[in-house]
C-alpha cells in the first residue's frame, strides 16, 4: 500500500475520533455544570454557552500562528502537538471543581487545537494531484462523521446520569452539516419540569450558519 494511503487511513481515524471527542461535551455539559453547583436554569444556560464558545474564541486568534509554525516545522509536528495537547486538556476537564476552571480549560483547549487543519494540510502535500478531490472528500467525511456520532455515544436522550429530575437543563441542537465546513443549526435550551419540559428561552426561529 502506498504511503499516502496509509497516512490517509490513520488521519481519517484521527479526525473521526478527535471530532467525536470534541462534540461529546455538548449533551452533558449542562448536567456537569449542575454537579459543579450551577443549579439555576438561567445561570446554567449562560455558563453552558460561555464554556462551549470559549474553545472557538481562542482558536480563532491562535490558529493562524499554528499555521505559520506548521509551514516552518512541518505538519506532522503540529498534528502531534495538537493531539497530545487536547488529550491532556480534555482529561483535566474531568477533574474541574468549578465552572471557572472548566471555562479556563476550554480556553486552553482552543489554544492548543489545530488537529483538523494540520491533517488536511499534510494530506494535501502528499496525496497525488489526480486523487486530491477524493482524498479531501474522505478527510471531510471523517470530520463530519465524528461530529455527528460524538453526542450519540453519550447516549443523549437515554436518561443520562439515571432518572431525569425537575430542574435539569438540556441543550437541543439539531444540525444540518454541509461539506466542506459550514453547518446550519438551531440551538434551544429546555428545562425539565414536574409536568414535562419547557423552553428556557424564546424559541429560535432562525437558522445559524456556522463554521469550524
Amino acid at each position: 500500500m502506498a504511503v499516502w494511503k496509509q497516512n490517509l487511513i490513520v488521519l481519517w481515524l484521527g479526525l473521526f475520533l478527535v471530532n467525536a471527542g470534541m462534540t461529546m461535551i455538548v449533551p452533558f455539559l449542562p448536567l456537569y455544570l449542575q454537579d459543579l453547583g450551577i443549579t439555576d436554569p438561567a445561570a446554567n444556560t449562560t455558563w453552558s454557552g460561555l464554556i462551549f464558545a470559549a474553545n472557538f474564541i481562542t482558536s480563532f486568534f491562535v490558529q493562524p500562528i499554528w499555521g505559520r509554525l506548521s509551514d516552518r516545522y512541518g505538519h506532522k509536528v503540529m498534528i502531534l502537538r495538537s493531539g497530545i495537547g487536547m488529550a491532556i486538556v480534555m482529561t483535566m476537564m474531568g477533574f474541574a471543581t468549578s465552572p471557572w476552571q472548566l471555562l479556563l480549560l476550554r480556553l486552553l483547549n482552543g489554544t492548543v487545537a489545530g488537529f483538523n487543519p494540520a491533517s488536511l494540510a499534510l494530506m494535501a502535500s502528499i496525496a497525488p494531484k489526480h486523487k486530491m478531490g477524493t482524498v479531501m472528500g474522505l478527510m471531510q467525511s471523517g470530520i463530519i462523521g465524528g461530529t455527528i456520532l460524538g453526542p450519540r455515544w453519550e447516549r443523549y436522550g437515554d436518561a443520562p446520569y439515571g432518572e431525569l429530575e425537575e430542574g435539569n437543563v438540556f441543550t437541543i441542537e439539531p444540525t444540518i452539516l454541509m461539506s466542506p465546513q459550514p453547518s446550519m443549526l438551531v440551538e434551544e435550551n429546555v428545562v425539565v419540569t414536574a409536568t414535562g419540559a419547557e423552553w428556557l428561552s424564546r424559541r429560535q426561529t432562525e437558522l445559524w450558519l456556522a463554521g469550524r
Side-chain angles (χ1 to χ4, degrees):
M1 182 182 293
V3 175
W4 71 268
K5 291 184 178 180
Q6 297 176 13
N7 288 334
L8 175 61
I9 294 173
V10 173
L11 290 176
W12 189 95
L13 291 173
L15 289 171
F16 182 90
L17 294 174
V18 165
N19 286 275
M22 290 296 293
T23 55
M24 279 183 182
I25 193 176
V26 177
F28 66 84
L29 180 56
L31 297 176
Y32 191 18
L33 286 171
Q34 287 181 357
D35 289 344
L36 296 179
I38 308 299
T39 56
D40 178 68
N44 193 298
T45 301
T46 301
W47 275 107
S48 295
L50 288 173
I51 291 172
F52 185 74
N55 181 86
F56 303 100
I57 293 173
T58 51
S59 181
F60 173 80
F61 292 103
V62 175
Q63 289 309 307
I65 299 175
W66 291 129
R68 287 197 296 270
L69 292 176
S70 178
D71 291 336
R72 178 177 300 180
Y73 299 107
H75 305 308
K76 290 184 180 180
V77 175
M78 291 298 108
I79 291 173
L80 292 173
R81 174 203 59 76
S82 61
I84 295 173
M86 287 190 295
I88 293 173
V89 174
M90 293 292 284
T91 300
M92 294 173 63
M93 288 182 189
F95 297 95
T97 58
S98 71
W100 280 108
Q101 292 180 5
L102 194 57
L103 177 62
L104 291 175
L105 287 171
R106 285 284 292 177
L107 289 169
L108 179 60
N109 190 71
T111 302
V112 302
F115 191 92
N116 289 2
S119 298
L120 293 170
L122 177 60
M123 283 309 306
S125 66
I126 63 176
K129 290 185 177 180
H130 66 282
K131 293 287 187 179
M132 191 64 65
T134 300
V135 169
M136 290 297 103
L138 289 171
M139 295 287 280
Q140 290 294 337
S141 73
I143 296 173
I144 295 173
T147 302
I148 293 173
L149 294 180
R152 182 66 190 95
W153 287 354
E154 287 298 329
R155 299 179 63 83
Y156 189 36
D158 291 344
Y161 291 176
E163 296 183 0
L164 296 178
E165 298 179 355
E166 185 176 356
N168 286 161
V169 179
F170 293 91
T171 299
I172 301 175
E173 192 177 86
T175 305
I176 301 174
L177 296 174
M178 301 176 293
S179 182
Q181 287 291 351
S183 61
M184 292 187 297
L185 60 90
V186 176
E187 184 176 289
E188 299 288 356
N189 294 307
V190 296
V191 58
V192 178
T193 65
T195 57
E198 295 180 356
W199 300 107
L200 198 58
S201 57
R202 188 174 62 180
R203 283 177 290 180
Q204 184 176 326
T205 59
E206 297 178 354
L207 288 173
W208 293 353
L209 182 62
R212 289 183 181 277

